[in-house]
Amino acid sequence: PWFSFSLAAGLAFLETYGWFILAGIVATSFLMPSLQRWAKRIENNLNGEANRKREADLDRQREQVRKKQAEAFEKRVQQLEEERRNNPSQSERERERRLEEINARAARLGLQPRGQATGESSRNGRPEYNPLMGGDVPRFRTSRRSAPRGGG
């Protein structure tokens, strides 16, 4: 008796509100990802102060490291400048050594060293290129166009 009554009441409820329940289930399934993102955003805002503090601390640490590196760099630059001022012959010897290296490299590449260029060479040490002089390198030459022979 009570079982049949509750079953009849349940069926009447489903007959009356069934479409609303189905629409609610479908809407919830579509809106669930948006609701989850919304809940996550709220949670991040609640924990956001801790995140902001941590990021600010990291920024301060990065800035301190950058300052320390910049100071070390400036100190090294000052030391090198002082060494150059105290020992000018050392910088002159270094300059001569580098020029010799450059000249040796130029000789390996078949170029004339700087300062020893002849009148027929250009600024870069290579002989002047003139296409009208021919040279010993054979070049491709296009064939002449033949005269029209008529026909049609």
Side-chain angles (χ1 to χ4, degrees):
W2 67 268
F3 180 73
S4 61
F5 177 73
S6 55
L7 182 63
L11 285 177
F13 182 80
L14 283 178
E15 286 175 356
T16 308
Y17 300 107
W19 289 110
F20 295 111
I21 293 171
L22 182 65
I25 291 171
V26 170
T28 304
S29 66
F30 276 112
L31 294 176
M32 189 57 77
S34 300
L35 293 174
Q36 287 174 345
R37 281 194 304 266
W38 182 66
K40 191 172 184 178
R41 195 176 310 138
I42 290 174
E43 182 181 346
N44 285 342
N45 285 339
L46 293 177
N47 297 334
E49 189 61 36
N51 289 342
R52 280 191 288 278
K53 279 186 179 179
R54 189 175 71 241
E55 287 296 323
D57 290 343
L58 287 174
D59 285 344
R60 262 188 253 114
Q61 289 175 356
R62 287 186 199 113
E63 185 65 24
Q64 289 173 352
V65 167
R66 191 198 62 75
K67 280 183 183 178
K68 198 178 292 183
Q69 288 175 342
E71 289 172 1
F73 178 75
E74 290 294 327
K75 187 176 180 182
R76 180 67 181 147
V77 166
Q78 288 175 357
Q79 286 176 351
L80 289 174
E81 287 177 355
E82 190 173 317
E83 286 177 11
R84 269 195 216 116
R85 273 189 249 122
N86 292 341
N87 198 353
S89 62
Q90 175 69 23
S91 63
E92 188 64 31
R93 283 193 303 248
E94 180 71 21
R95 184 175 173 273
E96 290 296 327
R97 185 185 62 78
R98 292 178 75 194
L99 277 176
E100 288 173 11
E101 286 179 8
I102 290 171
N103 289 341
R105 211 176 294 142
R108 276 198 312 262
L109 294 174
L111 304 174
Q112 292 184 356
R114 287 181 175 245
Q116 299 176 5
T118 61
E120 66 189 38
S121 297
S122 64
R123 288 184 61 202
N124 63 3
R126 290 190 211 126
E128 198 72 38
Y129 171 71
N130 187 351
L132 300 177
M133 295 298 290
D136 57 351
V137 180
R139 302 230 192 279
F140 173 75
R141 291 161 71 176
T142 60
S143 61
R144 301 184 84 180
R145 295 182 68 190
S146 59
R149 299 188 181 193

